[in-house]
Amino acid sequence: MRGGNHEFTLKSYKKLFESLYPQLCVFAYKYLNDLEISKDFVQEVFVKVWEDKITFQNENHATGFFYKAVKNKCLNYLKSKKYKATERYELANLEAYEAEEFYMSEAVVIETTAVINKAISKLPEKAAQVIRLSIEDYTNNQIADELSISINTVKDHKKVAYRKLRDFLSFLTIK
């Protein structure tokens, strides 16, 4: 830490990359509809930030910065002559993509999903399985069948899981 700004070591930057990379690829894909280009763009943004030695006030500031940088890279690509020449270019789409609402809603959904998945992965294995099936709209009966456990056990796992998830995710609630 220097002057209130966070300067990354290679190790901490690698950790940030590993935690943000999957979400940012999904985010870029929402714009580009091409996974390979999405991955390339996200990697390029990470390389540029590292090379330019950009510092951040904190991790949230860094996360926001990466989302905006990836968004800008995607929009610039969609506006480029190369893209217009090769793809069916839709101006209406581009206007929708440039809207702040699109950016915010996609970024929030992706980040929230990542946080929830991380929280679920901290649950005991059976409880995590029950919650994942529950999220996929399985009924308690179907979950019991799928995991070969009783309905009461399903309900117990849910109780434990929800209590733990509430603790894990308490920072998301507005105080």
Side-chain angles (χ1 to χ4, degrees):
M1 299 294 240
R2 214 181 36 178
N5 279 344
H6 185 69
E7 202 164 305
F8 286 101
T9 62
L10 188 56
K11 193 177 175 187
S12 65
Y13 197 64
K14 188 172 185 278
K15 201 173 161 202
L16 180 77
F17 174 81
E18 284 166 0
S19 73
L20 276 181
Y21 180 75
Q23 290 103 278
L24 288 170
C25 287
V26 172
F27 179 64
Y29 183 78
K30 300 275 182 184
Y31 286 94
L32 304 173
N33 224 10
D34 183 316
L35 195 56
E36 288 313 305
I37 297 175
S38 298
K39 287 176 178 175
D40 289 348
F41 281 7
V42 172
Q43 286 169 13
E44 285 167 25
V45 167
F46 269 95
V47 168
K48 179 140 182 52
V49 168
W50 178 253
E51 285 175 348
D52 293 352
K53 300 208 181 331
I54 295 172
T55 57
F56 301 101
Q57 288 151 5
N58 53 45
E59 204 169 311
N60 284 346
H61 181 234
T63 299
F65 178 90
F66 277 99
Y67 270 91
K68 283 202 170 73
V70 169
K71 175 189 85 165
N72 292 338
K73 200 160 179 57
C74 291
L75 289 176
N76 288 341
Y77 174 72
L78 292 174
K79 289 175 192 169
S80 71
K81 284 191 171 74
K82 182 183 170 203
Y83 175 78
K84 289 177 187 176
T86 56
E87 303 291 332
R88 205 176 84 250
Y89 182 69
E90 293 174 22
L91 205 63
N93 257 5
L94 189 60
E95 278 177 20
Y97 287 165
E98 284 181 306
E100 191 66 13
E101 293 80 31
F102 178 85
Y103 162 67
M104 286 307 291
S105 67
E106 292 301 336
V108 166
V109 166
I110 290 165
E111 273 303 296
T112 307
T113 305
V115 166
I116 290 169
N117 282 334
K118 201 170 182 182
I120 290 173
S121 71
K122 290 180 185 170
L123 293 171
E125 192 183 343
K126 274 284 190 232
Q129 287 176 319
V130 166
I131 289 301
R132 287 202 171 97
L133 290 171
S134 184
I135 288 170
E136 290 173 27
D137 284 336
Y138 278 62
T139 65
N140 284 354
N141 285 349
Q142 290 169 323
I143 294 170
D145 288 347
E146 181 78 21
L147 300 178
S148 307
I149 55 180
S150 75
I151 288 202
N152 283 339
T153 307
V154 170
K155 289 177 182 172
D156 289 342
H157 281 311
K158 276 188 171 181
K159 254 185 249 164
V160 168
Y162 287 135
R163 195 172 56 243
K164 289 193 172 184
L165 287 174
R166 258 196 299 280
D167 292 342
F168 292 148
L169 302 172
S170 60
F171 70 93
L172 286 177
T173 55
I174 296 162
K175 303 274 187 276

